[in-house]
Amino acid sequence: METKTDRFMQSIPEIIRTIPLTHYILLSSALFAIGVLGVLTRRNALIVFMAIELMLNAVNLLLAAFSSYFSDPAGQIFVFFIMAVAAAEVAVGLAIIVMIYRNIQTIDIGLLNKLRN
Amino acid sequence: MSSILFIPLLPLIGFLINGLSFPKLSNPVAGIIGTIPPLAAFALSLQLFLQFDGNTQIVPLLDWISVGELSIPIAFQIDQLSLLMLLIITGVGTLIHVYSSAYMSHDEGFGKFFAFLNLFVFFMLLLVMGSGFVTLFIGWEGVGLCSYLLIGFWNKKNSYGDAARKAFIMNRIGDLGFLIGIFLLFQEFGTATYQEVFEAIKAGNGSNLGLIAFCLFIGAMGKSAQIPLFTWLPDAMAGPTPVSALIHAATMVTAGIYMVIRANVLFEMSPEVLHFVGWIGLATALLGAAIGLFQNDIKKVLAYSTVSQLGYMFMGLGASAYTASFFHVMTHAFFKALLFLGAGSVIHAMSDEQDIRKMGGLKSQLPITYITFLLGTIAIAGIPPFAGFFSKDEILAHLYHHDIVMWALAIVGSALTSFYMFRVFIVTFHGDFRGTQHQADHLHESPIAMTLPLIVLAVLSVIGGIINLPAFVGGNEFLAHWLNPILPEGSHEALEVHFASLEFLAPLAAAFIPAIFAIQLYGSKKAVPAADAEISGIQKIIYDKFYIDEAYNFLFVKPIQFLSQFFYSFIDFLIIDLLVESTGKFVKSSSNELRKLQSGNIGFYIFMMVAAIAIILAWTLKSWIF
Amino acid sequence: MTPVIALSLFGIINLFLGFTFKRQSLQVVTLLFIICSMALTAMDWNHEYLWFGDMMKTNNLSINFSLIIQLAGLLVVAFSNGFGKDEVYTQPAEYYAILLFSLVGALLMVSFQNLIMLFVGLEILSVAMYVLTGSDKRNLRSNEAALKYFLMGSFATGFLLFGIALVYGSTRSLYISGILYNLSHTAPESLPSFLYAGIILMGIGLLFKISAAPFHFWTPDVYEGAPTIFTMFMSTVVKTAGFAAIYHILDVTFGGFQKNWIITVYFITIITLILGNISAAYQQSAKRMLAFSSISHAGYMLLTVCANQPSTSSNILYYSLAYTLATAVSFAVLMVVAEYQTGRTEKPENFDALNGLAKNNPSLAFAFTVALLSLAGIPLTAGFWGKFFVFTDMFNKNLTYPIIIAVLMSAVGIYYYFKGIISVYFNSGEIEKIETSFLFKIALWSACIGTLVLGIYPTLLKSIF
């Protein structure tokens, strides 16, 4: 028997679909661009890392949007994968940042330019 | 793995073992390791020969280059021709290996020598067993290399190294022609395997066959010492005598003739080239015999004799007498190897003396060498019923029907051959001893390892004629029937020669009369060839080899050296160095500038990446933006 | 399927073995593990099947790539004889385990049928490499290399993911087969334009991994900073896996859209060739030179990806194999020489540190020479045939300008490769006999002989590929 919750759940994609797809794409691209700008401009390794995570989350948003629009769960499953992998990456990335901090007491990425030419 | 693949594999293994460990192995061990491969290969070849059922067998080894439409396989072809060559190479080769174990026993490079000999046998087997021109060429180049290594084996004297280089370079010139021939084959037929090419030719395809045949023959001219690429062979006598016997008498120099017989289909379609081949052969035969007339180094006489006899073989090919030429290849292998090994025995006994004017009267001291050398001399002179008579006269008989002028000149050459061979024989073994006391003290017959091959080869030289006894003397013409399947149709006409005809008697006269004359001149009258300073006139010209080497030096070597110097000092220095160096400097300076791109600053890196991505995206979506 | 499972299990087992086994035996055990998984891979020959819910496919092509990748891993483990000595490398079991895990990631990357698997495999491989790059914890260069690799790697992964999302949005499927089906059944006009952006972004994400210009800036720094043994792993395994992925994406999946991405990849290839070769010319450090040379080899391999001929996959395989063998040998020799020279010279990885190697270490010098000749593309080595096949592909597609540039750049390449050969043989220096372990010698000689054998007889493996 269809309950009120079921009907509500089934209407979520329609609700989402009332906003045109291009809006989602633009939002996601804007978030992504903000993330890219963050990576470009900031010098603190942690902030750069946050910006990268922002980029990944923008992708998550886009995938979720596409998945809803096509009623295809594959997109959202991919989102789970991305989140899990991003978490692992965070672990490793923070470990690297900590290791650098232990050595040079700072995490300014502009200072690390000994390997050049 | 078929036993056929073992035949070339065993000498290769022998080369590797001896080559990699020669300082550590004792002489007897190295000698045994070196001699077993050709012996085993001979046994295998004999087995193949006896089991041969008349069908050509192709044993593929590997597909060497397969790019696009070009496919060059390396495979072995066992047919009548290659089997006979295998027997000669491995059989005579084994005898010479045995001989070398005694001849080279005092040499410190003993193991190295056997390694090179085995390598040579390997390449020669590759040459005759190949199923296509490419495999043949690999062996062709390889035997040229080994010839160079073995001629210059005693690298103490500069002249030996020069002789080795001369051999290699002259071979190279011939090889260039051969290579062009192979390229033309690929261009015409898209393949170079014997079966495919000859099928295509028989089916009537392919133009430029004459050009191809000519280019291939240029290679044969270099390898088989024909005019004008023959001067390396006498100089090659600088190598140890077993080398001269194996390479420059029995095997490598016959590679050119083998190639022409193998490609008889091709040459039959180009009668002008065959004509050319015949005349070159004749000129070489006469020139070689003439120069050999007055030489005083025992090995040089034999060398010019080889040049001359090779000329005879090519003359036979020119007259389309393939069987006769191959018959002469076989008998020549026997008696020329015998003569060279006998000369080596003499040289060994005379403490490395090679001038026949300083020998004489050796008959009593070296009985076995004396008898075998005599048998070899009789064979090469063409005196019946020894082997040389049947093979040489079969060629002459074919020439008689082909071109009577050639025949007449060939008879003259035959006379010269008989004369100079008996001259050498008498002066060396008869008369008074003209050497030093030191040499007389050390005079001794060679050990069994050297005399045994002499005896075997002498027997073969005597009875070798039965390989192809013509029908009119009651023989079974074995060789002719054996080779018939691979030769053109109708090339075997039974020779009908009447005993009382000019055709039969003239060669006999040319054999006997000069022999008797030589025996008279040098034997009874005990005339000794003059010392170098006393030779004059026409004799001097012939003695100095008609100044051909000097002419080559003047016409070719010196201009090339001059040109080389000119290019070096002028063009190389000013133009090429400038060009190349400026390019190099340009690359270096741009590299220096580009290096600065790697600033080490991660922010810069990411900026470049993002900029590139932005440009790429803008380009991709340009239709969407505009 | 089994090699992936086997390698993961072996990695975990390795972690536990670290408690009980000695260091040298750990190396042998890891070698055995990799050989075992290679055998498992080869057992699937001529056996095509899909697994993991149709997300992975095993066919002869993926088996060939897997074998090359595992061979590279084998060589790396065999050459890794320094793990036990230096106090920095105090946890060999963990390094071997991470190596095995990264091999798993690489295996996933070469046999994917679903874009999720591509991403997962890529990330497994990359994250493992971030850790290994920074493994020399007290050395500041290693730290810097790890940070650069990590930041730029994650950055590029972000682009790859965005591209995947856009492609998913246009084709409604994450499976390669689904993408192909949907794309062929839609009219070109109704395809959303962000599909093309998606393809390009995916390409860019992957091109970063194989260090194509202008995404190559991380390569020299990371290769130079990382410990040499891991540089060897990076330059062989990551490149091969990366090219397998690029081939699957650009040539197989989006081959029909070639006119959209070909110009971009065309230019990227040309810039890669030029930048890689010319920047390498002036390098003093041999390790950095090898890094730039790996950039230039990526350029050559991209040529055949551009050409997109039926023989492209086999040419990529052949080139990867030739390149793997040569790079492994050259890094190995560099590693032992640098280790020897560390106390004695201030720059142990320069060309000057190699001076006079041939006097007391003839086999090392010979192997180094063969490897450099193969990288330079001199005939009789496998590298020559690799380049030859790539150029033949380009000829068949009538793309002549890249070939001219490639040939010119090959000539430039000869300069800096021969610098190595000259310092080894013709310059004078004092290097005593360097002791190397038995496994090292075996690996060195077999890679060397493999290069020469493939150089003389290329059809040996070309027929299988």
Side-chain angles (χ1 to χ4, degrees):
Chain A
M1 250 236 314
E2 250 190 19
T3 62
K4 234 166 95 176
T5 333
D6 288 331
R7 278 197 296 270
F8 175 68
M9 295 288 278
Q10 277 162 15
S11 65
I12 290 185
E14 291 157 24
I15 298 174
I16 295 181
R17 279 198 209 108
T18 53
I19 307 178
L21 188 59
T22 33
H23 287 44
Y24 280 108
I25 298 181
L26 281 174
L27 173 63
S28 177
S29 313
L31 282 173
F32 194 81
I34 293 174
V36 169
L37 274 172
V39 174
L40 266 179
T41 44
R42 302 302 293 232
R43 289 182 64 152
N44 190 327
L46 278 175
I47 306 286
V48 170
F49 199 19
M50 260 193 340
I52 292 180
E53 288 301 307
L54 180 57
M55 284 163 62
L56 294 185
N57 281 314
V59 175
N60 283 349
L61 174 61
L62 190 59
L63 276 171
F66 280 137
S67 166
S68 300
Y69 260 80
F70 307 138
S71 298
D72 180 17
Q76 295 176 32
I77 295 177
F78 198 9
V79 170
F80 282 130
F81 270 94
I82 298 180
M83 283 191 202
V85 170
E89 215 171 327
V90 164
V92 169
L94 288 177
I96 294 179
I97 293 177
V98 166
M99 173 177 75
I100 291 181
Y101 183 77
R102 278 213 200 117
N103 279 335
I104 58 176
Q105 259 67 46
T106 174
I107 48 176
D108 183 343
I109 58 175
L111 289 183
L112 292 167
N113 57 357
K114 299 293 173 295
L115 293 169
R116 58 172 163 201
N117 283 346
Chain B
M1 200 154 75
S2 147
S3 66
I4 296 174
L5 293 176
F6 272 108
I7 299 181
L9 187 63
L10 289 170
L12 184 64
I13 296 178
F15 159 68
L16 285 171
I17 298 181
N18 259 337
L20 289 174
S21 51
F22 79 85
K24 306 188 197 116
L25 289 174
S26 67
N27 276 1
V29 175
I32 293 179
I33 295 181
T35 313
I36 288 188
L39 185 61
F42 178 68
L44 286 169
S45 312
L46 195 58
Q47 184 193 36
L48 280 173
F49 177 73
L50 294 172
Q51 287 174 349
F52 189 63
D53 57 359
N55 295 325
T56 308
Q57 209 184 344
I58 306 245
V59 178
L61 182 62
L62 51 89
D63 201 8
W64 186 32
I65 298 180
S66 204
V67 179
E69 298 140 8
L70 181 67
S71 171
I72 306 182
I74 295 191
F76 296 131
Q77 178 167 334
I78 303 295
D79 63 1
Q80 295 88 339
L81 183 60
S82 59
L83 275 174
L84 288 175
M85 288 295 293
L86 278 179
L87 287 174
I88 298 178
I89 297 169
T90 51
V92 176
T94 309
L95 291 171
I96 295 183
H97 277 73
V98 172
Y99 182 92
S100 309
S101 60
Y103 189 80
M104 300 292 290
S105 56
H106 301 304
D107 198 294
E108 56 186 34
F110 188 81
K112 194 164 69 159
F113 187 75
F114 272 92
F116 287 156
L117 274 187
N118 272 352
L119 187 66
F120 170 80
V121 173
F122 166 70
F123 277 123
M124 192 70 206
L125 290 174
L126 215 62
L127 200 160
V128 302
M129 282 172 76
S131 74
F133 283 97
V134 175
T135 320
L136 182 134
F137 191 64
I138 296 176
W140 192 272
E141 290 285 322
V143 297
L145 170 71
C146 293
S147 176
Y148 165 79
L149 289 172
L150 285 165
I151 294 175
F153 187 71
W154 290 321
N155 43 14
K156 303 291 183 297
K157 267 175 118 186
N158 266 349
S159 59
Y160 296 168
D162 287 344
R165 256 207 315 280
K166 184 171 174 179
F168 194 72
I169 292 181
M170 276 199 157
N171 260 285
R172 230 44 197 108
I173 299 177
D175 292 346
L176 181 63
F178 197 87
L179 207 53
I180 295 181
I182 295 185
F183 289 155
L184 288 172
L185 273 175
F186 271 107
Q187 189 189 40
E188 277 298 321
F189 303 108
T191 172
T193 32
Y194 296 141
Q195 284 192 325
E196 290 170 21
V197 168
F198 297 151
E199 291 300 314
I201 295 182
K202 280 189 209 159
N205 304 333
S207 49
N208 282 337
L209 291 178
L211 184 60
I212 299 177
F214 182 67
C215 288
L216 293 177
F217 180 63
I218 294 181
M221 280 204 282
K223 195 61 93 193
S224 301
Q226 297 298 294
I227 290 178
L229 298 173
F230 70 96
T231 52
W232 65 271
L233 190 55
D235 285 5
M237 297 300 114
T241 313
V243 171
S244 312
L246 179 63
I247 301 185
H248 306 125
T251 45
M252 182 178 98
V253 292
T254 59
I257 295 141
Y258 163 79
M259 187 270 295
V260 175
I261 298 183
R262 173 63 80 192
N264 59 69
V265 174
L266 174 65
F267 279 93
E268 283 296 309
M269 299 290 284
S270 340
E272 322 82 29
V273 180
L274 268 187
H275 203 64
F276 179 69
V277 169
W279 279 99
I280 290 281
L282 176 66
T284 312
L286 283 177
L287 187 61
I291 300 180
L293 217 46
F294 295 114
Q295 291 300 311
N296 289 319
D297 181 332
I298 190 172
K299 285 177 68 174
K300 284 251 165 50
V301 176
L302 294 176
Y304 282 106
S305 161
T306 306
V307 171
S308 174
Q309 295 301 306
L310 289 170
Y312 271 96
M313 297 176 214
F314 277 107
M315 263 200 288
L317 293 176
S320 294
Y322 298 103
T323 310
S325 296
F326 193 70
F327 189 21
H328 201 54
V329 166
M330 296 182 76
T331 57
H332 178 260
F334 299 146
F335 53 67
K336 195 42 73 62
L338 167 65
L339 288 168
F340 265 111
L341 294 184
S345 180
V346 169
I347 295 173
H348 181 80
M350 289 287 293
S351 312
D352 295 336
E353 176 63 66
Q354 293 184 221
D355 193 329
I356 59 173
R357 294 169 293 194
K358 301 207 176 66
M359 301 178 189
L362 297 177
K363 163 175 155 191
S364 44
Q365 301 287 345
L366 311 172
I368 303 182
T369 311
Y370 170 72
I371 295 181
T372 52
F373 203 89
L374 174 63
L375 293 174
T377 309
I378 299 178
I380 193 176
I383 295 176
F386 287 27
F389 164 70
F390 290 107
S391 61
K392 197 189 294 195
D393 285 20
E394 190 174 333
I395 294 183
L396 290 173
H398 277 99
L399 279 177
Y400 186 79
H401 295 287
H402 183 242
D403 186 339
I404 201 95
V405 174
M406 259 194 183
W407 177 86
L409 290 172
I411 296 280
V412 170
S414 187
L416 292 176
T417 306
S418 177
F419 180 76
Y420 66 69
M421 282 313 300
F422 272 97
R423 169 180 177 267
V424 165
F425 173 70
I426 302 285
V427 172
T428 307
F429 287 100
H430 284 264
D432 305 319
F433 182 71
R434 295 178 294 274
T436 63
Q437 185 56 37
H438 172 88
Q439 286 168 335
D441 290 335
H442 285 95
L443 218 46
H444 59 281
E445 179 60 275
S446 305
I448 183 88
M450 283 167 69
T451 51
L452 185 62
L454 287 177
I455 297 174
V456 173
L457 286 169
V459 168
L460 284 170
S461 303
V462 171
I463 65 167
I466 61 171
I467 296 178
N468 200 27
L469 271 184
F472 66 88
V473 288
N476 62 352
E477 300 201 348
F478 167 73
L479 188 65
H481 288 124
W482 174 264
L483 283 179
N484 207 16
I486 63 164
L487 291 177
E489 308 286 327
S491 69
H492 172 61
E493 336 113 20
L495 285 177
E496 273 302 320
V497 178
H498 300 291
F499 285 110
S501 65
L502 179 67
E503 191 184 339
F504 186 72
L505 292 175
L508 277 178
F512 277 112
I513 298 182
I516 299 175
F517 181 50
I519 297 176
Q520 261 275 335
L521 179 59
Y522 293 104
S524 338
K525 292 198 193 156
K526 296 208 180 184
V528 175
D532 280 352
E534 299 165 6
I535 307 179
S536 64
I538 293 193
Q539 206 177 350
K540 184 161 188 10
I541 297 182
I542 300 182
Y543 185 64
D544 283 338
K545 305 163 281 165
F546 289 104
Y547 300 111
I548 292 186
D549 275 319
E550 287 76 9
Y552 282 166
N553 201 22
F554 181 69
L555 284 174
F556 297 115
V557 180
K558 288 245 175 314
I560 289 183
Q561 280 176 337
F562 175 70
L563 215 57
S564 187
Q565 184 67 27
F566 170 70
F567 275 124
Y568 174 68
S569 46
F570 184 62
I571 297 186
D572 207 28
F573 204 61
L574 289 180
I575 300 182
I576 295 185
D577 274 352
L578 207 61
L579 220 63
V580 170
E581 260 174 46
S582 51
T583 328
K585 286 208 188 84
F586 172 70
V587 169
K588 260 197 167 172
S589 58
S590 47
S591 169
N592 222 357
E593 293 305 308
L594 272 178
R595 273 190 348 151
K596 305 203 179 119
L597 211 58
Q598 289 278 136
S599 60
N601 188 351
I602 189 174
F604 176 70
Y605 295 170
I606 298 190
F607 170 67
M608 290 300 293
M609 271 181 73
V610 172
I613 295 175
I615 295 177
I616 292 174
L617 278 178
W619 168 266
T620 316
L621 297 173
K622 62 184 188 305
S623 54
W624 193 60
I625 299 178
F626 301 115
Chain C
M1 171 166 68
T2 22
V4 171
I5 302 176
L7 275 178
S8 325
L9 277 177
F10 288 150
I12 299 177
I13 295 179
N14 235 338
L15 281 176
F16 287 105
L17 286 179
F19 291 129
T20 44
F21 275 38
K22 292 191 316 227
R23 280 150 195 194
Q24 293 307 109
S25 19
L26 216 47
Q27 181 184 19
V28 177
V29 166
T30 315
L31 272 177
L32 287 174
F33 284 158
I34 298 185
I35 294 180
C36 180
S37 94
M38 277 174 90
L40 286 171
T41 324
M43 268 174 24
D44 280 330
W45 186 255
N46 272 337
H47 202 216
E48 214 175 285
Y49 61 92
L50 295 165
W51 50 283
F52 203 50
D54 285 0
M55 289 214 249
M56 306 279 283
K57 177 169 168 181
T58 305
N59 60 1
N60 279 356
L61 180 64
S62 83
I63 291 180
N64 282 327
F65 270 118
S66 308
L67 284 174
I68 296 181
I69 288 174
Q70 285 167 67
L71 176 70
L74 199 66
L75 284 173
V76 169
V77 174
F79 283 136
S80 68
N81 60 352
F83 276 177
K85 299 189 198 137
D86 218 322
E87 85 264 14
V88 173
Y89 301 118
T90 46
Q91 300 94 0
E94 291 165 11
Y95 294 129
Y96 286 127
I98 298 182
L99 273 177
L100 290 179
F101 290 142
S102 55
L103 280 180
V104 169
L107 289 186
L108 288 180
M109 264 177 88
V110 308
S111 37
F112 70 92
Q113 281 292 109
N114 189 314
L115 296 175
I116 302 182
M117 283 299 121
L118 169 65
F119 166 67
V120 168
L122 182 68
E123 282 301 295
I124 295 179
L125 179 63
S126 308
V127 170
M129 287 324 295
Y130 302 153
V131 173
L132 290 178
T133 311
S135 60
D136 194 358
K137 285 185 278 228
R138 286 190 203 100
N139 188 342
L140 212 58
R141 290 147 55 95
S142 180
N143 290 346
E144 183 183 334
L147 186 70
K148 279 187 178 158
Y149 196 12
F150 169 69
L151 283 180
M152 295 183 73
S154 313
F155 190 62
T157 306
F159 280 102
L160 172 73
L161 279 175
F162 201 71
I164 294 182
L166 289 177
V167 165
Y168 173 62
S170 1
T171 59
R172 298 193 186 204
S173 170
L174 284 171
Y175 284 93
I176 293 187
S177 48
I179 296 177
L180 282 172
Y181 182 81
N182 287 341
L183 284 179
S184 59
H185 282 78
T186 337
E189 307 82 46
S190 60
L191 282 172
S193 54
F194 53 79
L195 169 68
Y196 310 120
I199 300 176
I200 293 280
L201 285 173
M202 277 184 76
I204 288 173
L206 290 170
L207 284 172
F208 166 87
K209 262 296 172 252
I210 55 161
S211 54
F215 316 113
H216 69 286
F217 290 100
W218 61 276
T219 312
D221 300 350
V222 172
Y223 278 31
E224 196 186 350
T228 319
I229 188 72
F230 299 128
T231 313
M232 193 195 300
F233 189 87
M234 270 194 278
S235 63
T236 53
V237 171
V238 176
K239 259 223 197 341
T240 310
F243 266 104
I246 285 192
Y247 170 72
H248 279 302
I249 292 294
L250 285 180
D251 282 340
V252 172
T253 316
F254 296 112
F257 289 86
Q258 209 175 11
K259 59 180 180 346
N260 297 101
W261 54 261
I262 186 90
I263 302 260
T264 311
V265 181
Y266 206 72
F267 275 109
I268 287 180
T269 312
I270 296 181
I271 300 178
T272 309
L273 283 170
I274 298 180
L275 263 179
N277 279 300
I278 296 198
S279 307
Y282 207 68
Q283 294 299 328
Q284 313 282 33
S285 158
K287 201 165 163 190
R288 214 170 160 86
M289 179 277 281
L290 282 175
F292 276 110
S293 105
S294 87
I295 297 178
S296 63
H297 282 288
Y300 292 118
M301 281 200 261
L302 273 177
L303 281 177
T304 183
V305 166
C306 278
N308 200 6
Q309 299 282 308
S311 54
T312 297
S313 60
S314 104
N315 289 346
I316 293 182
L317 276 168
Y318 194 88
Y319 202 104
S320 305
L321 181 61
Y323 173 69
T324 300
L325 292 173
T327 318
V329 170
S330 43
F331 272 118
V333 173
L334 217 55
M335 190 170 68
V336 287
V337 173
E339 197 182 309
Y340 172 84
Q341 295 274 41
T342 339
R344 301 161 222 252
T345 337
E346 50 175 69
K347 297 228 177 196
E349 283 157 1
N350 275 14
F351 281 115
D352 294 331
L354 286 167
N355 278 350
L357 185 64
K359 203 157 61 159
N360 289 321
N361 298 286
S363 48
L364 280 179
F366 177 70
F368 194 55
T369 309
V370 169
L372 287 179
L373 288 177
S374 178
L375 287 174
I378 305 288
L380 276 199
T381 57
F384 166 71
W385 288 108
K387 287 209 171 79
F388 176 76
F389 292 137
V390 165
F391 290 163
T392 316
D393 261 1
M394 294 294 283
F395 264 129
N396 289 342
K397 198 94 191 292
N398 285 328
L399 293 169
T400 36
Y401 286 118
I403 297 187
I404 299 178
I405 296 182
V407 170
L408 283 175
M409 290 301 130
S410 267
V412 175
I414 294 189
Y415 165 64
Y416 55 81
Y417 288 125
F418 272 64
K419 255 204 316 204
I421 302 181
I422 290 177
S423 25
V424 161
Y425 275 115
F426 294 112
N427 286 351
S428 54
E430 291 302 315
I431 301 186
E432 293 147 16
K433 179 130 182 64
I434 301 181
E435 287 300 319
T436 51
S437 72
F438 178 65
L439 276 173
F440 186 96
K441 288 198 184 77
I442 290 189
L444 194 73
W445 277 110
S446 32
C448 202
I449 292 177
T451 309
L452 288 172
V453 164
L454 280 178
I456 299 175
Y457 185 35
T459 29
L460 185 69
L461 288 180
K462 197 74 165 44
S463 44
I464 307 180
F465 291 163

